[in-house]
Amino acid sequence: MDFQVVVLAGGTAKNLIPLVSKEVPKALLPVANRPVLSYVLEHLEQSNLKDLIVVVEGQEAAALVGNWISGAYVDRLHVEVAAVPEDVGTAGSLRAIAHHLTAKDIMVVSGDLVSDVPPGAVAAAHRRHDAVVTAMLSSAPVSGPSESGSSTGKDKTKKPGRYNIIGLDPTRQFLLYIATGAEVEKDIRIQKSILRAVGQMEIRADLMDAHLYAFKRSVLQEVLDQKDTFHSLKQDVLPYLVRSQLKSEVLLNGAPQTEENGNQKVNSQSNQVTLSGILANASTPSFHQLSELGTNGSTRRTHKCCVYIADNSKYCMRLNSIQAFSDINRDVIGEASRLSGYSFSPQNNIIHPSAELGLKTTVGPHCMLGEGSQMGDKCSVKRSVIGRHCRIGSNVKVANSVIMNHVTIGDGCSIQGSVICSNVQLQERVNLKDCQVGAGFVVTAGSDCKGEALAKKEK
Amino acid sequence: MDPRRASRTVSDPKIRQVGFFAPPPDRSFSGPPDPISTSTPNPAAATTTAAAANTSSPPPISDLSPSGNSLSPVMIPPPRHSSDTTHRPVPFPPVSPLRRDTLSLTVGSYNNNNNNIISSSPTASFYDESKGITVKVSPTPAASSFPGGGFDLTAVKASSVPASGLTTVSVVKTLPPGFTEKVGGSVEMQNDLPANSKPLKERTSKAERRALQEAQRAAKAAAKAEGSKLSATTSGAVASANAKPTKATKPSSQKNDSATVASSEKKGGDRPPEKDRKKDAPHPRMQYDDKSRVEKAKRRAVVKQTEARNRVELFRHLPQYEHGTQLPDLESKFFQLDPVHPVVYKVGLQYISGDISGGNARCIAMLQAFQEAIKDYSTPDEKTLTRDLTAKINSYVSFLNECRPLSISMGNAIRFLKNRIAKLPLTLSESEAKAFLQSDIEQFISEKIILADKVIVKHAVTKIRDGDVLLTHGSSSAVEMILLHAHELGKQFRVVIVDSRPKLEGQLLLRRLVGKGLSCTYANINAVSYIMHEVTRVFLGASSVLSNGTVYSRVGTACVAMVAHEFRVPVLVCCEAYKFHERVQLDSICSNELGDPDAISKVPGREDINYLDGCTNSENLQLLNLIYDATPSDYVSMIVTDYGMVPPTSVPVIVREYCRDQVWI
């Protein structure tokens, strides 16, 4: 269908420290014991998009991601990995691979997207309107653990306006305004010309930019070439295109080509005019066409910025914070279990056959226990993910937590709402609540932590 | 309107049967025709013979010709269209590099990359052959652990960010080296899987095929033996034999297969091959009240079709789906539909969402999409272009038909294109053939649509005088051009635009006309009887003009024409000749299109008057949103076509003398 797919897998994101490290870049963070990038790749594979370019920040991260993909997707996908320097931003990443982009339209997907919204729908909306850019929006997720009663209220109040402010036209097909929630302080400025052309604008704060875009390649490359300062797609390129949609500065289809000579030319051009006239008159004009005509007869060039709003029944979430990490882990084995690709047991949980459970140990629903993990007696696990080859002692309580691979947990520990990375050692009677423990950390016996990030000091 | 109207010229029961013709039981009839056979109880054969005889110079038994009263008086010697006689130079195929070619270059380099990985030698020299950029191999720290090695490419353009090379980390193994298609081999295989790419013909049983073959063979022999004079009767027989298998392929045909076949067969023995005739016969329409057929069609369908529940009894045979479910489903399948070319897909989406409507616009959009598709087409190995491309076009057409039923004008255009493909000289190379077809399509658009419109404007403008009040209904591109041209000529006239819900297309026309400075009046169709007092001419557009003079057009046209006729106001229908069809239709029931029933039950933006909100799912409520209606020829004073202004009774002449030549060369 003449689409090229670029997956921006990022590097070691700063806001996910201590979960990410040199060994585990963001793309490889496990969600239900699978790297988060696999959700994107498999989702694209289901849509028959098997030819992908994955862009990773940093050479080492690229090597890690490349190794993992070559192991997991050989024979299934045709993936190329490109390494870009760190801190070039999403726009910079695309600049770096610009010379590999040849198709008519480019689909840019963030590597941390966990979603089941068909990317084809975005592409189709893009094509149908012949848009310059089409963004996918989804309803903003309610963050925070939904089960653990008291903390829910707190979490909600903690995060106001973290998402986007989005202006839509009455048909909800075109994007008129977009700003990231963090940027908005008191007031937002909306262009009068756009408002005048549309007549009515719907401003929504309950939508989230899912960071899945379809771009027209020629326009994208032109913008990237001309605007050197643009750093991020979401914060620079997209708002720029939206802002300038009624006074387009980008060349849409190149100059109209006329190769005939002599009097044929005049004739064919007038035919062309009639032709486009018939086509234009046939459809209901969007506000772009109306404003193109203008009031004083002068034609202005416009381009279209479209949106595709995902259905509420679809799951769509980005792994861009620690909170999101626990939320996604919880959802993938919980309410959005169709995404995980695992088959659930009658008890609604996944316990690998090689996992060993001690006496009187219970694993509740919406839980996952990786292969080779061992648990002692009288443990209880609720709504948590436990990775591979973990050794868990007796009398351990785990709730709403993510425990990665090769973790050793001593007897009598209690872990709530925490993320424990690989190779961590928890000694006896450790009490953790809402903590993040970085890879390889050793928590000494009897310590009691609440809301802390524990990680090894970088040397 | 009412087919039993007394004043209708077409009132002979024998002719009526042409419209709803059921094939006679004796389909094996193929012997040498004797004079009695013309009066066999086969009304279709009889009428076709008569109709056919009209063209061949000696009309044998004029008493037998029941269509004489309305059809035969018009006997104009067939003038030739200029485009036939003057041979158009075949444009040399432009050696424009196709997009696919450039694509394959890079892909080739990717595959080189694969080979490199396999041989584990991190050479990156292949990049400069495709891109012409300088490449230096720099072993990065990652190279030791990394299969492909890291490349450091200097960018083509100096940008702030150093360009990065791609490293293939995972490949689909089935991809052979040097494979030019960008998508993997697995995708290629899927091309054959969906059923819609299969030819529909396979459905006939063996016996039916044999029957068809025998009938054809016999007909051919008879045609040769008897010569041109008697071949007309043979054609009738063949037609009846021919109609049967097609009927088996598709559901029960209510249409006049044999009539159309015969009318195309009028020239007699100089066009013997049966396959031509097979193509000429219109495909019998799917009857959507036939459950088993619908099920079958649904399985083939690309577009998900949920049938609407409460359909009006009389219109059950027409397709009607739940609107609103098709588009999201089709959208989500965007990348799965490989057999459909992206441009065709886009046009389909635009049809389904109503972004493109109107006969001319839909036809142009479709043809341009086909043009693009042909441009990107390459014949697969061991297949011939003629056959494979026809199959491809067929699959596109069926896809578009699922998006929205094709209009008659589109059907004509498709037939033209398919004939062009079939008639391609075998000596042409692939690129020449493609260029030939593209220029054919281009020519069709410019001659049949744009130039035709210009000629129509030229003719119709002569009928506009100063002080006229012109009425039009809906939004017709031809009428709009006429009005604008008359205004440019400086004629003083006023325009009344009559509009109707739910589409309110007239408002768009109104907006454009007012923008150009015409003085306009806008009224709803409810007020047509009032406004008609002051009107001096009515100009109407048409979706199609059928050979009995019936004008098949946007719903409401018949009402406007009837009121105008009652008020003795002349009604001029503007229609390009490529929209003419030899079909005969007496009412707007047997062939029509159903729109979204919600469109008439809901008024957007007016929640306060949406009284039907709760009851649309009620068993007792059936909503009917017809798209077209048929205006009887009595109400039409004149039809303005690119061949001049003719009375509606002359339509068959144009169909006979021009359309066949143009469309089915």
Side-chain angles (χ1 to χ4, degrees):
Chain A
M1 282 294 179
D2 210 2
F3 259 92
Q4 242 175 328
V5 184
V6 178
V7 180
L8 300 178
T12 45
K14 293 208 174 52
N15 54 354
L16 285 174
I17 288 175
L19 302 189
V20 295
S21 58
K22 283 244 157 57
E23 291 77 43
V24 185
K26 182 183 174 188
L28 298 184
L29 272 183
V31 170
N33 289 342
R34 270 168 53 193
V36 62
L37 189 60
S38 68
Y39 289 89
V40 173
L41 296 185
E42 272 169 32
H43 186 47
L44 291 170
E45 188 190 12
Q46 274 172 16
S47 296
N48 211 356
L49 292 165
K50 303 196 173 176
D51 211 340
L52 317 170
I53 300 176
V54 176
V55 185
V56 188
E57 283 183 4
Q59 291 287 351
E60 288 162 45
L64 286 170
V65 173
N67 272 338
W68 169 73
I69 293 176
S70 59
Y73 290 98
V74 71
D75 235 19
R76 281 167 69 189
L77 293 171
H78 183 218
V79 181
E80 282 133 26
V81 171
V84 297
E86 298 196 30
D87 299 326
V88 291
T90 43
S93 310
L94 283 180
R95 265 188 210 116
I97 57 154
H99 55 283
H100 295 289
L101 303 178
T102 48
K104 191 174 159 226
D105 294 289
I106 310 289
M107 180 170 279
V108 181
V109 191
S110 171
D112 58 5
L113 185 70
V114 179
S115 160
D116 57 352
V117 182
V122 181
H126 183 70
R127 277 284 161 80
R128 180 156 72 87
H129 293 290
D130 204 18
V132 158
V133 59
T134 304
M136 182 172 102
L137 305 180
S138 65
S139 49
V142 182
S143 61
S146 57
E147 287 299 286
S148 57
S150 63
S151 65
T152 316
K154 255 190 283 173
D155 277 333
K156 263 184 193 166
T157 50
K158 251 191 251 171
K159 296 179 181 63
R162 209 183 66 187
Y163 299 104
N164 308 82
I165 308 289
I166 285 163
L168 300 172
D169 80 315
T171 58
R172 295 185 188 173
Q173 286 177 329
F174 298 106
L175 191 57
L176 307 175
Y177 180 81
I178 185 161
T180 335
E183 286 175 359
V184 179
E185 285 155 7
K186 272 186 183 165
D187 46 358
I188 58 173
R189 294 170 152 271
I190 290 166
Q191 278 164 302
K192 237 190 234 168
S193 59
I194 291 181
L195 202 53
R196 198 180 299 131
V198 186
Q200 199 180 344
M201 188 193 286
E202 186 181 323
I203 294 185
R204 313 255 308 242
D206 60 336
L207 291 175
M208 177 188 81
D209 182 4
H211 213 297
L212 191 154
Y213 308 112
F215 282 104
K216 191 171 270 187
R217 178 184 58 86
S218 55
V219 172
L220 178 67
Q221 289 186 335
E222 200 183 316
V223 171
L224 290 179
D225 279 350
Q226 285 176 356
K227 312 279 177 183
D228 274 343
T229 52
F230 281 5
H231 186 74
S232 142
L233 285 182
K234 182 175 175 166
Q235 278 157 20
D236 299 318
V237 177
L238 186 61
Y240 167 74
L241 287 174
V242 169
R243 228 174 21 238
S244 63
Q245 57 182 319
L246 290 185
K247 42 179 181 11
S248 175
E249 290 155 20
V250 290
L251 210 55
L252 276 182
N253 300 319
Q257 64 293 337
T258 40
E259 286 130 21
E260 293 105 320
N261 43 6
N263 53 0
Q264 242 191 343
K265 192 173 179 178
V266 183
N267 202 4
S268 75
Q269 264 179 353
S270 80
N271 276 358
Q272 215 65 46
V273 171
T274 334
L275 200 68
S276 53
I278 290 177
L279 279 180
N281 290 350
S283 53
T284 332
S286 70
F287 65 93
H288 293 97
Q289 277 141 2
L290 294 180
S291 110
E292 224 167 57
L293 293 171
T295 43
N296 46 8
S298 64
T299 52
R300 277 180 292 180
R301 285 193 305 157
T302 59
H303 59 241
K304 292 181 185 171
C305 302
C306 294
V307 290
Y308 175 81
I309 300 178
D311 199 47
N312 267 339
S313 62
K314 301 279 184 191
Y315 185 79
C316 183
M317 189 94 165
R318 284 189 64 197
L319 201 167
N320 48 11
S321 67
I322 291 172
Q323 182 63 54
F325 177 77
S326 355
D327 288 349
I328 291 174
N329 263 304
R330 188 194 63 226
D331 290 342
V332 163
I333 52 170
E335 56 196 55
S337 54
R338 60 193 179 279
L339 282 169
S340 63
Y342 295 109
S343 54
F344 284 78
S345 72
Q347 287 81 34
N348 218 356
N349 55 16
I350 313 154
I351 298 174
H352 197 273
S354 64
E356 292 171 24
L357 298 181
L359 276 175
K360 292 191 180 173
T361 288
T362 54
V363 178
H366 306 304
C367 282
M368 181 164 182
L369 203 54
E371 73 175 289
S373 286
Q374 301 172 356
M375 296 188 79
D377 302 337
K378 293 184 183 171
C379 293
S380 100
V381 180
K382 285 175 192 162
R383 300 185 74 87
S384 299
V385 178
I386 295 173
R388 299 182 190 89
H389 306 291
C390 292
R391 300 162 140 266
I392 297 174
S394 305
N395 264 326
V396 174
K397 291 192 168 46
V398 181
N400 291 316
S401 299
V402 180
I403 295 170
M404 294 186 196
N405 304 334
H406 303 284
V407 176
T408 315
I409 298 176
D411 294 345
C413 287
S414 157
I415 302 160
Q416 276 195 345
S418 301
V419 181
I420 294 167
C421 293
S422 300
N423 300 319
V424 167
Q425 199 182 341
L426 300 187
Q427 294 174 347
E428 285 93 60
R429 298 181 311 283
V430 169
N431 209 345
L432 294 179
K433 195 173 183 207
D434 301 329
C435 289
Q436 296 88 40
V437 185
F441 195 79
V442 181
V443 184
T444 46
S447 47
D448 194 350
C449 300
K450 203 170 180 185
E452 283 178 61
L454 309 167
K456 270 200 250 181
K457 294 277 179 294
E458 293 287 329
K459 280 153 203 166
Chain B
M1 312 286 285
D2 188 3
R4 279 152 303 216
R5 190 175 297 274
S7 64
R8 296 190 60 86
T9 47
V10 187
S11 56
D12 194 303
K14 270 187 178 171
I15 295 184
R16 177 103 30 103
Q17 236 160 337
V18 176
F20 304 95
F21 160 63
D26 55 338
R27 61 182 145 131
S28 60
F29 166 72
S30 61
D34 45 354
I36 309 155
S37 73
T38 46
S39 58
T40 45
N42 181 350
T47 48
T48 53
T49 319
N54 279 340
T55 25
S56 61
S57 40
I61 316 152
S62 59
D63 299 350
L64 265 176
S65 155
S67 55
N69 52 357
S70 71
L71 298 181
S72 65
V74 264
M75 291 280 291
I76 301 178
R80 286 279 155 202
H81 192 69
S82 61
S83 74
D84 300 330
T85 48
T86 56
H87 200 72
R88 183 163 38 88
V90 182
F92 191 75
V95 204
S96 64
L98 294 173
R99 184 191 48 75
R100 210 165 275 264
D101 292 349
T102 55
L103 205 66
S104 71
L105 264 180
T106 38
V107 176
S109 65
Y110 290 162
N111 289 326
N112 275 339
N113 200 355
N114 303 348
N115 296 341
N116 282 331
I117 288 169
I118 292 160
S119 62
S120 76
S121 66
T123 47
S125 60
F126 51 87
Y127 267 113
D128 47 12
E129 67 189 40
S130 63
K131 296 282 187 197
I133 47 177
T134 51
V135 175
K136 54 180 182 201
V137 184
S138 65
T140 49
S144 54
S145 67
F146 208 60
F151 315 112
D152 200 3
L153 296 171
T154 49
V156 190
K157 275 180 193 165
S159 85
S160 59
V161 181
S164 60
L166 297 181
T167 319
T168 310
V169 292
S170 134
V171 289
V172 183
K173 230 185 230 162
T174 48
L175 210 66
F179 193 69
T180 50
E181 186 68 49
K182 183 135 185 159
V183 260
S186 54
V187 185
E188 191 67 19
M189 280 185 288
Q190 286 178 1
N191 277 348
D192 301 330
L193 285 180
N196 63 348
S197 62
K198 274 181 197 157
L200 299 174
K201 246 197 287 180
E202 286 178 9
R203 301 273 189 241
T204 46
S205 71
K206 196 175 175 186
E208 284 163 339
R209 282 200 301 275
R210 168 164 286 180
L212 170 66
Q213 207 173 16
E214 276 173 8
Q216 285 174 343
R217 205 175 292 142
K220 207 174 198 172
K224 265 185 192 159
E226 300 300 320
S228 63
K229 196 191 163 195
L230 290 170
S231 68
T233 29
T234 330
S235 79
V238 173
S240 60
N242 207 1
K244 192 67 189 172
T246 34
K247 192 189 169 220
T249 335
K250 293 235 181 158
S252 58
S253 67
Q254 284 203 347
K255 276 193 297 167
N256 44 349
D257 288 2
S258 62
T260 45
V261 168
S263 65
S264 71
E265 202 37 38
K266 281 167 293 194
K267 279 278 168 71
D270 55 21
R271 291 172 34 140
E274 272 74 23
K275 35 175 208 247
D276 278 356
R277 211 172 301 138
K278 212 156 68 189
K279 257 174 234 136
D280 291 351
H283 287 289
R285 279 234 188 150
M286 175 102 172
Q287 301 295 306
Y288 283 82
D289 43 0
D290 186 342
K291 282 219 177 73
S292 60
R293 305 277 181 200
V294 169
E295 280 304 312
K296 252 183 227 165
K298 234 190 238 170
R299 255 176 273 138
R300 278 202 306 269
V302 178
V303 186
K304 185 184 159 203
Q305 296 167 333
T306 328
E307 301 236 354
R309 266 162 300 166
N310 290 344
R311 290 185 295 173
V312 178
E313 181 66 44
L314 202 52
F315 292 93
R316 289 248 165 106
H317 60 286
L318 298 174
Q320 183 169 23
Y321 305 114
E322 296 276 8
H323 286 249
T325 57
Q326 290 171 299
L327 187 59
D329 184 71
L330 189 61
E331 277 186 334
S332 63
K333 280 197 288 191
F334 185 75
F335 289 111
Q336 273 98 336
L337 290 176
D338 273 308
V340 181
H341 191 274
V343 184
V344 178
Y345 187 88
K346 178 182 165 185
V347 171
L349 278 177
Q350 286 173 331
Y351 285 171
I352 218 172
S353 61
D355 285 352
I356 293 184
S357 61
N360 280 343
R362 275 167 74 196
C363 192
I364 292 173
M366 179 190 72
L367 285 175
Q368 283 179 335
F370 284 168
Q371 219 175 349
E372 280 291 308
I374 289 174
K375 198 166 129 196
D376 291 347
Y377 170 82
S378 64
T379 319
D381 292 338
E382 298 174 6
K383 282 188 179 166
T384 55
L385 179 128
T386 340
R387 280 167 183 267
D388 190 56
L389 188 58
T390 314
K392 264 256 174 349
I393 297 280
N394 276 338
S395 74
Y396 296 160
V397 167
S398 71
F399 168 74
L400 292 178
N401 196 22
E402 283 161 25
C403 291
R404 188 180 161 187
L406 301 177
S407 69
I408 290 173
S409 56
M410 289 160 76
N412 280 342
I414 291 164
R415 213 173 338 164
F416 162 82
L417 177 62
K418 280 200 207 160
N419 253 284
R420 283 303 190 155
I421 296 173
K423 294 276 164 64
L424 277 178
L426 289 172
T427 51
L428 286 184
S429 73
E430 187 182 311
S431 58
E432 278 172 333
K434 275 158 59 179
F436 196 79
L437 289 176
Q438 285 177 50
S439 76
D440 269 337
I441 295 177
E442 186 74 52
Q443 203 199 8
F444 186 89
I445 295 176
S446 69
E447 273 184 18
K448 298 286 163 221
I449 303 177
I450 292 173
L451 281 182
D453 274 338
K454 285 184 180 161
V455 176
I456 288 174
V457 168
K458 215 160 63 184
H459 286 305
V461 152
T462 59
K463 294 289 166 197
I464 299 179
R465 288 170 304 199
D466 283 349
D468 265 351
V469 178
L470 311 174
L471 182 140
T472 184
H473 172 252
S475 168
S476 151
S477 55
V479 172
E480 183 184 354
M481 282 188 245
I482 291 166
L483 298 176
L484 290 178
H485 186 65
H487 182 70
E488 277 167 24
L489 291 181
K491 301 203 176 187
Q492 298 297 317
F493 62 94
R494 213 154 57 79
V495 182
V496 179
I497 295 175
V498 173
D499 207 355
S500 57
R501 284 207 64 235
K503 283 197 141 187
L504 298 177
E505 293 158 314
Q507 291 189 353
L508 293 171
L509 176 67
L510 185 71
R511 187 192 165 96
R512 293 193 290 266
L513 291 185
V514 170
K516 290 273 164 61
L518 279 79
S519 75
C520 298
T521 308
Y522 181 73
N524 254 334
I525 199 160
N526 327 13
V528 71
S529 62
Y530 164 76
I531 207 95
M532 200 55 87
H533 285 287
E534 45 181 311
V535 172
T536 55
R537 296 259 186 292
V538 174
F539 281 93
L540 295 173
S543 169
S544 178
V545 175
L546 308 176
S547 65
N548 59 344
T550 304
V551 174
Y552 184 68
S553 184
R554 185 100 187 91
V555 70
T557 305
C559 171
V560 173
M562 183 174 71
V563 175
H565 181 256
E566 201 60 29
F567 279 84
R568 309 254 180 273
V569 178
V571 176
L572 288 87
V573 173
C574 309
C575 183
E576 298 85 356
Y578 86 102
K579 291 180 180 170
F580 284 29
H581 200 272
E582 70 260 316
R583 188 199 296 172
V584 170
Q585 199 172 320
L586 302 177
D587 52 39
S588 35
I589 298 169
C590 64
S591 162
N592 208 323
E593 192 185 326
L594 296 179
D596 182 5
D598 282 345
I600 52 168
S601 67
K602 289 201 177 86
V603 185
R606 287 286 304 277
E607 268 83 27
D608 51 326
I609 54 164
N610 282 340
Y611 307 117
L612 287 177
D613 265 354
C615 13
T616 37
N617 283 332
S618 149
E619 283 278 313
N620 303 329
L621 175 65
Q622 294 169 341
L623 297 164
L624 177 65
N625 180 11
L626 277 181
I627 303 283
Y628 295 106
D629 66 8
T631 311
S633 58
D634 309 351
Y635 300 148
V636 180
S637 325
M638 191 165 277
I639 294 176
V640 188
T641 74
D642 24 343
Y643 298 111
M645 292 183 277
V646 293
T649 46
S650 302
V651 172
V653 187
I654 289 185
V655 170
R656 188 181 67 213
E657 299 302 336
Y658 298 98
C659 293
R660 178 163 44 79
D661 289 352
Q662 256 76 81
V663 178
W664 310 327
I665 295 176

